[in-house]
Protein backbone atom coordinates (compact mmCIF):
# COMPACT_ATOMS: atom_id res chain seq x y z
CA UNK A 1 0.00 0.00 0.00
CA UNK A 2 1.21 3.54 -0.81
CA UNK A 3 1.50 5.79 2.24
CA UNK A 4 -0.95 8.70 2.11
CA UNK A 5 1.78 11.36 2.07
CA UNK A 6 3.46 9.71 -0.93
CA UNK A 7 0.16 9.29 -2.78
CA UNK A 8 -0.90 12.91 -2.31
CA UNK A 9 2.58 14.28 -3.05
CA UNK A 10 2.34 12.64 -6.48
CA UNK A 11 -0.98 14.20 -7.45
CA UNK A 12 -1.27 17.16 -9.78
CA UNK A 13 -1.67 20.59 -8.21
CA UNK A 14 -4.91 22.55 -8.62
CA UNK A 15 -5.51 26.09 -7.39
CA UNK A 16 -8.89 26.92 -5.80
CA UNK A 17 -10.44 30.37 -5.90
CA UNK A 18 -13.72 31.91 -4.78
CA UNK A 19 -15.52 35.15 -5.51
CA UNK A 20 -18.75 36.98 -4.85
CA UNK A 21 -21.42 37.71 -7.45
CA UNK A 22 -22.87 41.03 -6.27
CA UNK A 23 -25.26 43.20 -8.24
CA UNK A 24 -26.94 46.56 -7.87
CA UNK A 25 -30.77 46.79 -7.89
CA UNK A 26 -30.82 47.07 -11.70
CA UNK A 27 -28.88 43.79 -12.07
CA UNK A 28 -25.51 45.26 -13.02
CA UNK A 29 -22.63 43.11 -11.76
CA UNK A 30 -19.91 44.38 -9.43
CA UNK A 31 -16.48 43.90 -11.00
CA UNK A 32 -13.04 44.96 -9.81
CA UNK A 33 -9.89 45.97 -11.70
CA UNK A 34 -6.79 44.46 -10.10
CA UNK A 35 -3.49 46.25 -10.44
CA UNK A 36 -1.67 43.01 -11.26
CA UNK A 37 -3.46 41.98 -14.49
CA UNK A 38 -4.97 43.64 -17.55
CA UNK A 39 -8.59 42.54 -17.21
CA UNK A 40 -11.40 43.01 -14.70
CA UNK A 41 -12.97 40.26 -12.59
CA UNK A 42 -14.98 39.57 -9.46
CA UNK A 43 -14.00 40.52 -5.94
CA UNK A 44 -12.39 37.34 -4.66
CA UNK A 45 -9.21 35.33 -4.70
CA UNK A 46 -7.48 32.11 -3.82
CA UNK A 47 -8.75 29.84 -1.09
CA UNK A 48 -6.23 29.78 1.77
CA UNK A 49 -5.10 26.57 3.45
CA UNK A 50 -7.74 25.27 5.87
CA UNK A 51 -10.37 27.65 4.47
CA UNK A 52 -13.57 26.67 2.65
CA UNK A 53 -14.51 28.43 -0.61
CA UNK A 54 -17.37 30.20 1.22
CA UNK A 55 -14.97 31.49 3.87
CA UNK A 56 -12.55 32.65 1.18
CA UNK A 57 -15.34 34.51 -0.61
CA UNK A 58 -16.41 36.27 2.59
CA UNK A 59 -12.81 37.15 3.52
CA UNK A 60 -11.91 38.44 0.06
CA UNK A 61 -14.99 40.70 -0.16
CA UNK A 62 -14.06 42.22 3.19
CA UNK A 63 -10.35 42.58 2.34
CA UNK A 64 -10.73 43.91 -1.19
CA UNK A 65 -13.74 46.22 -0.76
CA UNK A 66 -14.54 46.41 2.97
CA UNK A 67 -17.80 44.76 1.91
CA UNK A 68 -19.46 42.49 4.47
CA UNK A 69 -22.01 40.31 2.70
CA UNK A 70 -23.69 36.99 3.44
CA UNK A 71 -22.34 34.29 1.15
CA UNK A 72 -25.29 32.62 -0.47
CA UNK A 73 -25.88 29.85 -2.96
CA UNK A 74 -23.14 28.57 -5.25
CA UNK A 75 -23.91 29.89 -8.74
CA UNK A 76 -21.00 28.69 -10.87
CA UNK A 77 -18.21 26.14 -10.60
CA UNK A 78 -15.66 26.76 -13.33
CA UNK A 79 -12.76 24.46 -14.25
CA UNK A 80 -10.07 26.53 -15.96
CA UNK A 81 -7.07 24.69 -17.39
CA UNK A 82 -3.57 26.17 -17.07
CA UNK A 83 -3.09 29.55 -18.75
CA UNK A 84 0.05 31.38 -19.84
CA UNK A 85 0.11 33.39 -16.62
CA UNK A 86 -1.01 30.48 -14.35
CA UNK A 87 0.75 27.14 -14.87
CA UNK A 88 -1.71 25.05 -12.80
CA UNK A 89 -5.43 24.40 -13.37
CA UNK A 90 -7.94 26.40 -11.35
CA UNK A 91 -11.33 25.51 -9.93
CA UNK A 92 -13.33 28.69 -9.33
CA UNK A 93 -16.40 28.95 -7.08
CA UNK A 94 -18.70 31.95 -7.69
CA UNK A 95 -21.23 32.55 -4.91
CA UNK A 96 -24.35 34.71 -4.85
CA UNK A 97 -23.63 37.55 -2.44
CA UNK A 98 -26.80 39.48 -3.10
CA UNK A 99 -27.65 43.04 -4.03
CA UNK A 100 -26.11 46.29 -2.83
CA UNK A 101 -27.66 49.69 -3.42
CA UNK A 102 -24.47 51.28 -4.75
CA UNK A 103 -20.77 51.48 -4.04
CA UNK A 104 -21.17 53.70 -0.99
CA UNK A 105 -18.98 52.47 1.83
CA UNK A 106 -16.75 50.33 -0.37
CA UNK A 107 -13.06 50.94 0.20
CA UNK A 108 -10.59 49.54 -2.34
CA UNK A 109 -7.68 47.47 -1.10
CA UNK A 110 -5.07 49.83 -2.55
CA UNK A 111 -2.25 47.30 -2.83
CA UNK A 112 -4.38 45.01 -5.05
CA UNK A 113 -7.17 46.96 -6.75
CA UNK A 114 -7.28 49.98 -9.04
CA UNK A 115 -11.03 50.39 -9.48
CA UNK A 116 -14.49 48.85 -9.22
CA UNK A 117 -17.77 49.37 -11.01
CA UNK A 118 -21.17 47.91 -11.83
CA UNK A 119 -21.64 46.58 -15.37
CA UNK A 120 -24.17 44.83 -17.57
CA UNK A 121 -22.86 41.80 -19.47
CA UNK A 122 -22.69 43.94 -22.62
CA UNK A 123 -20.68 46.66 -20.84
CA UNK A 124 -18.38 44.05 -19.27
CA UNK A 125 -17.67 42.21 -22.54
CA UNK A 126 -14.70 44.38 -23.59
CA UNK A 127 -13.27 44.28 -20.05
CA UNK A 128 -13.26 40.48 -19.62
CA UNK A 129 -11.59 37.56 -21.38
CA UNK A 130 -14.15 35.29 -23.07
CA UNK A 131 -14.01 32.67 -20.32
CA UNK A 132 -14.85 35.26 -17.65
CA UNK A 133 -17.70 36.66 -19.73
CA UNK A 134 -19.04 33.08 -19.97
CA UNK A 135 -18.80 32.87 -16.16
CA UNK A 136 -20.72 36.14 -15.81
CA UNK A 137 -23.59 35.07 -18.06
CA UNK A 138 -23.68 31.62 -16.40
CA UNK A 139 -23.99 33.30 -12.99
CA UNK A 140 -26.84 35.50 -14.23
CA UNK A 141 -28.70 32.42 -15.54
CA UNK A 142 -28.03 30.43 -12.36
CA UNK A 143 -29.31 33.23 -10.14
CA UNK A 144 -32.40 33.73 -12.29
CA UNK A 145 -33.27 30.00 -12.39
CA UNK A 146 -32.15 28.98 -8.89
CA UNK A 147 -29.54 26.57 -10.27
CA UNK A 148 -25.81 26.02 -10.21
CA UNK A 149 -23.87 25.91 -13.49
CA UNK A 150 -20.66 24.04 -14.23
CA UNK A 151 -18.33 25.49 -16.84
CA UNK A 152 -15.46 23.46 -18.27
CA UNK A 153 -12.25 24.58 -19.92
CA UNK A 154 -13.80 24.61 -23.38
CA UNK A 155 -15.24 28.09 -22.72
CA UNK A 156 -11.74 29.63 -22.82
CA UNK A 157 -12.14 30.80 -26.42
Amino acid sequence: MIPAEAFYAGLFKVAAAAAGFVTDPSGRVLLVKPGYRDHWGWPGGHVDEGESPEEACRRELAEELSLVRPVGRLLVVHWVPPLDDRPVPLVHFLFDCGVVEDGAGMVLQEEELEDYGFFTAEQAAPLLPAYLLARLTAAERAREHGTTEYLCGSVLE
Side-chain angles (χ1 to χ4, degrees):
M1 180 165 2
I2 300 173
E5 62 274 1
F7 173 77
Y8 286 107
L11 292 179
F12 292 106
K13 306 290 186 264
V14 176
F21 186 79
V22 178
T23 60
D24 68 6
S26 70
R28 296 179 307 156
V29 178
L30 172 63
L31 297 175
V32 295
K33 173 60 180 93
Y36 52 85
R37 66 175 172 235
D38 292 333
H39 61 78
W40 290 65
W42 287 266
H46 289 98
V47 177
D48 288 344
E49 186 175 345
E51 184 177 54
S52 71
E54 298 93 322
E55 291 167 334
C57 178
R58 185 177 298 105
R59 175 184 51 76
E60 289 284 348
L61 284 170
E63 287 176 2
E64 291 186 349
L65 295 168
S66 297
L67 188 60
V68 178
R69 301 289 312 154
V71 177
R73 195 169 50 73
L74 179 61
L75 297 174
V76 178
V77 176
H78 190 178
W79 175 260
V80 186
L83 299 172
D84 291 341
D85 63 345
R86 184 181 31 76
V88 297
L90 172 83
V91 61
H92 188 277
F93 301 89
L94 187 57
F95 293 94
D96 191 342
C97 292
V99 177
V100 295
E101 288 301 314
D102 56 31
M106 286 191 221
V107 179
L108 288 177
Q109 184 181 20
E110 290 181 18
E111 59 273 12
E112 281 199 27
L113 300 179
E114 294 178 2
D115 202 0
Y116 73 90
F118 291 89
F119 303 91
T120 64
E122 294 77 24
Q123 293 166 330
L127 305 174
L128 300 173
Y131 73 97
L132 292 184
L133 184 59
R135 190 182 299 162
L136 188 156
T137 57
E140 289 177 329
R141 283 190 308 271
R143 183 190 263 183
E144 180 182 348
H145 299 290
T147 60
T148 300
E149 292 210 16
Y150 170 75
L151 298 177
C152 63
S154 66
V155 299
L156 288 181
E157 288 83 39

